[in-house]
């Protein structure tokens, strides 16, 4: 199932949170070789985890992390402006309608279409929290995944070559994308909405209006 958890509420899901940060260390440091910080508990965290981001987490039947993503509004500090300013042309992305998506992570033990479930969850955030676009930086291995799920970004700018090539993308909400991703993820829209409501409540106070569709 999908859970939507703000960082300030992770203590209520201690085992799930710990396994998420451990899986992040495994993916980003061990498998991808990124220069990330891993603490004595084996957890990968950075400064953006201290800004009360919203996490979407796929919880496996045993209560452990199966996959996750992290979201922050671009009105505050975000990686796309702080770390990847070369891809924005020096013009920071800042709007309450645009959130940044980072730390897309899949557990080694995840089964089924967890990537599809997480993508659907992102669209659920857009629908319910009045977010029109996501911004994010991705490498070329993700292009095929986005295409297969039916939710590819508009590429704003790219840098690097070969395996080192990265791109800044903008994903725009639309009803067709929501329906396509739900179908490919194998999750009924009604169930997706129910999981959101169970985590954050129906039409959250943080979301004064809901996008149609």
């Amino acid at each position: 199932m999908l859970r939507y958890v703000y960082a300030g509420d992770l203590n209520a899901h201690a085992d799930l949170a710990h396994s998420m940060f451990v899986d992040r260390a495994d993916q980003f440091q061990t498998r991808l070789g990124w220069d990330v910080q891993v603490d004595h508990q084996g957890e990968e965290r950075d400064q953006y985890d201290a800004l009360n981001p919203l996490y979407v987490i796929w919880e496996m039947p045993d209560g452990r992390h199966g996959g996750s993503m992290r979201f922050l509004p671009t009105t505050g500090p975000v990686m796309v402006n702080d770390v990847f300013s070369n891809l924005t042309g020096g013009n920071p992305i800042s709007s309450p309608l645009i959130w940044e998506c980072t730390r897309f992570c899949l557990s080694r033990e995840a089964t089924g279409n967890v990537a599809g479930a997480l993508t659907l969850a992102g669209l659920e955030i857009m629908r319910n929290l009045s977010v029109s676009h996501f911004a994010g930086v991705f490498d070329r291995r993700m292009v095929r995944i986005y295409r297969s799920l039916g939710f590819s970004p508009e590429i704003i700018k790219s840098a690097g070559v070969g395996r080192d090539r990265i791109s800044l993308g903008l994903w725009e909400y639309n009803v067709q994308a929501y329906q396509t991703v739900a179908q490919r993820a194998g999750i009924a829209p009604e169930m997706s909405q129910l999981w959101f409501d169970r985590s954050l409540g129906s039409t959250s106070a943080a979301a004064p209006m809901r996008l149609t569709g």
Side-chain angles (χ1 to χ4, degrees):
M1 66 176 291
L2 286 165
R3 288 191 183 273
Y4 301 76
V5 187
Y6 281 98
D9 298 321
L10 284 177
N11 287 340
H13 309 276
D15 292 339
L16 181 63
H18 173 66
S19 60
M20 174 179 71
F21 291 119
V22 168
D23 280 341
R24 276 177 34 173
D26 177 53
Q27 176 168 311
F28 300 127
Q29 185 183 75
T30 304
R31 287 186 271 165
L32 296 178
W34 291 6
D35 182 17
V36 295
Q37 298 298 312
V38 178
D39 66 17
H40 68 283
Q41 294 182 307
E43 298 184 353
E44 185 277 313
R45 298 175 186 258
D46 64 15
Q47 65 267 38
Y48 301 98
D49 292 303
L51 300 178
N52 198 34
L54 175 60
Y55 300 97
V56 170
I57 308 172
W58 179 262
E59 182 177 349
M60 297 194 294
D62 63 2
R64 290 180 300 124
H65 167 264
S68 55
M69 294 191 293
R70 180 180 68 188
F71 299 90
L72 278 167
T74 59
T75 49
V78 288
M79 293 184 72
V80 69
N81 294 330
D82 301 342
V83 181
F84 300 106
S85 59
N86 60 311
L87 295 177
T88 67
N91 299 308
I93 297 173
S94 180
S95 168
L97 301 179
I98 304 175
W99 285 24
E100 180 185 63
C101 174
T102 57
R103 288 304 195 258
F104 182 92
C105 176
L106 296 176
S107 166
R108 291 179 188 252
E109 299 178 16
T111 59
N113 192 356
V114 176
L118 294 174
T119 304
L120 180 60
L123 283 155
E124 209 64 74
I125 289 174
M126 291 175 131
R127 281 186 358 115
N128 286 275
L129 301 186
S130 301
V131 176
S132 64
H133 292 80
F134 286 144
V137 175
F138 58 93
D139 58 35
R140 68 174 191 172
R141 68 190 173 89
M142 296 299 298
V143 173
R144 178 182 58 82
I145 295 175
Y146 299 144
R147 187 181 300 119
S148 70
L149 295 172
F151 194 41
S152 295
E154 174 190 358
I155 296 178
I156 305 303
K157 188 175 181 180
S158 299
V161 296
R163 293 185 176 182
D164 295 326
R165 186 174 180 81
I166 59 173
S167 300
L168 166 62
L170 276 181
W171 289 258
E172 181 177 11
Y173 176 84
N174 66 76
V175 176
Q176 183 59 52
Y178 177 80
Q179 294 172 343
T180 297
V181 172
Q183 181 181 40
R184 295 185 183 181
I187 299 173
E190 295 79 8
M191 179 59 72
S192 178
Q193 182 66 58
L194 177 62
W195 285 335
F196 181 92
D197 290 342
R198 283 179 175 175
S199 293
L200 297 182
S202 179
T203 314
S204 166
M209 63 176 287
R210 178 176 293 179
L211 295 173
T212 58

